[in-house]
Amino acid sequence: MIRERGKLTWAVKAIRAAWDKVTTAVKTAIGGTAGLETILGVVDNFTGAVEDAMLAGCKVLGMNDTVAYWEKNSLLVFL
């Protein structure tokens, strides 16, 4: 069961809706659904801006700064 509560729950819901539009290559780079859930967990519990939270979530998955930046932008383009 996925809990949806926090300061950025609206962003989590929007990212989930955009997930279906993301290419397979990006989904694989993020780590599939498990990677997305990790990012969304960070986003939902983050107190800053959505972009900063997504960047932090990508870094939690072990991405370096450059890869995390482009993965974040890939997801945000659909929002």
Side-chain angles (χ1 to χ4, degrees):
M1 177 180 212
I2 299 169
R3 289 183 235 161
E4 292 187 9
R5 56 186 161 175
K7 294 182 180 188
L8 296 175
T9 301
W10 62 270
V12 171
K13 289 179 183 178
I15 293 167
R16 279 202 178 100
W19 181 247
D20 291 334
K21 298 177 185 176
V22 174
T23 64
T24 304
V26 172
K27 287 180 182 179
T28 302
I30 290 173
T33 304
L36 178 67
E37 287 304 319
T38 300
I39 292 171
L40 294 179
V42 173
V43 169
D44 200 32
N45 294 313
F46 200 77
T47 58
V50 174
E51 288 187 36
D52 293 339
M54 290 179 71
L55 191 61
C58 288
K59 289 181 181 181
V60 166
L61 291 175
M63 297 178 197
N64 66 34
D65 289 343
T66 303
V67 173
Y69 172 82
W70 287 109
E71 292 298 332
K72 170 199 59 117
N73 285 345
S74 296
L75 288 171
L76 286 176
V77 80
F78 295 104
L79 294 178

